[in-house]
Amino acid sequence: MIQKRLRFVYIILIMLLPYFLAAQFSYSGSLNSRYADSENNLGFNEHLLDVNVDYSASERIYQAWTQFEFSDPPELGRPVQELRKLRFEYFSDNMTAKIGDIYEFWGMGMALNQVDDQAIDFDTGVRGALFSYNNDFLKWTVLKGQTHTWKSTNLVIGFDERVPNFDTNHDLLGTNLEYTFESGMAGINVIQSKEEHDSFDRFGTVEKKNIDHTMIGAYASFYYNRASLFVEMLKKTSKETTTDYNEDGSGLYANLTVPLGDWSMLVEYKNYNFLTL
């Protein structure tokens, strides 16, 4: 009798398993296809396939994001026929962890503003790991990884305005600490980056350059009934040991928003003169 009951329970669980999985798993995807034919060699054939998978267990969420690219050639950039992006994420009440291709935005983006604009072949994301802890008033984030950005120069033989011909690599380590209070928030961040890239002169000579960058930033926002104010500052230092290159720079951004009935007034100040070469 007990065995029959257990067998009946197993059958019920197996029958309910698809409904249980459906309640825990969710997935989505998108396909972006672009094609153009041209008689002057400006045609392109590129396709981006995104697949997202989410799994929820109690108060924990697991996510996976993949992007495949099939382009030969793309409108801008180098031909790709592979898995282009991959990221795994974990979320709980107080913790966030990410591994893979990461895009972050700190403050108003003066110190860190990572984007992937495939239309113009501009990608500043980091491939690495991120850890973040947050509670009701504090958020601490640590980011470590490498970024690989393609660029173009006419100093190299075979220059093509549609296809980049050299790249820069950054080994990046950064942290951001943000505090939230009743009428606003304040944050500080530090980023260190070791840059490696090829350097070209007017004769096309190639040299390897290694530049160390250090950025220290701070930002704050204040909200009031009649106005809101945001201010962000950044101090940057760049050094290259083989040429005694040593430059300092700074940046400042501020905006003031004042609501006026059905209208609002916005005043901005921008000074992005980080380095004067």
Side-chain angles (χ1 to χ4, degrees), residues 33-229:
S33 295
R34 305 172 68 244
Y35 173 82
D37 194 10
S38 173
E39 296 181 357
N40 56 358
N41 198 29
L42 294 178
F44 54 87
N45 183 10
E46 57 180 324
H47 313 276
L48 293 176
L49 174 62
D50 287 81
V51 179
N52 304 280
V53 178
D54 295 351
Y55 173 71
S56 300
S58 183
E59 297 180 353
R60 297 177 175 86
I61 300 176
Y62 303 86
Q63 295 181 344
W65 168 61
T66 60
Q67 183 183 84
F68 296 86
E69 179 178 353
F70 306 96
S71 58
D72 191 16
E75 184 175 8
L76 293 173
R78 305 170 66 87
V80 177
Q81 304 283 334
E82 61 186 10
L83 174 63
R84 179 174 177 266
K85 298 292 180 180
L86 176 64
R87 181 173 67 242
F88 298 98
E89 302 177 63
Y90 166 81
F91 302 93
S92 67
D93 288 341
N94 301 107
M95 292 176 51
T96 299
K98 301 180 182 181
I99 299 177
D101 295 291
I102 300 172
Y103 296 88
E104 286 291 301
F105 190 92
W106 292 350
M108 276 291 190
M110 183 177 293
L112 189 67
N113 180 8
Q114 297 173 308
V115 297
D116 181 18
D117 193 335
Q118 181 67 9
I120 60 175
D121 192 41
F122 184 67
D123 185 1
T124 58
V126 166
R127 180 162 294 179
L130 177 144
F131 172 81
S132 178
Y133 171 82
N134 65 281
N135 52 34
D136 293 337
F137 58 90
L138 188 66
K139 181 178 181 181
W140 175 49
T141 304
V142 177
L143 175 64
K144 178 71 170 73
Q146 294 183 339
T147 179
H148 182 80
T149 305
W150 284 96
K151 298 183 179 181
S152 296
T153 177
N154 57 5
L155 298 176
V156 179
I157 298 176
F159 168 73
D160 186 338
E161 60 183 7
R162 293 181 59 187
V163 182
N165 52 9
F166 83 101
D167 60 343
T168 62
N169 296 279
H170 287 261
D171 189 354
L172 183 146
L173 174 63
T175 183
N176 185 71
L177 184 64
E178 185 175 283
Y179 175 75
T180 302
F181 49 92
E182 184 176 357
S183 59
M185 65 177 182
I188 57 174
N189 48 64
V190 179
I191 296 178
Q192 288 187 324
S193 172
K194 296 184 180 294
E195 176 186 355
E196 296 181 358
H197 71 271
D198 296 331
S199 177
F200 310 97
D201 59 19
R202 59 190 181 93
F203 301 106
T205 303
V206 178
E207 293 182 74
K208 294 292 184 180
K209 296 295 183 183
N210 295 278
I211 305 177
D212 293 332
H213 304 280
T214 301
M215 293 181 289
I216 302 175
Y219 58 91
S221 63
F222 306 93
Y223 309 102
Y224 301 99
N225 294 332
R226 298 183 179 181
S228 64
L229 174 66

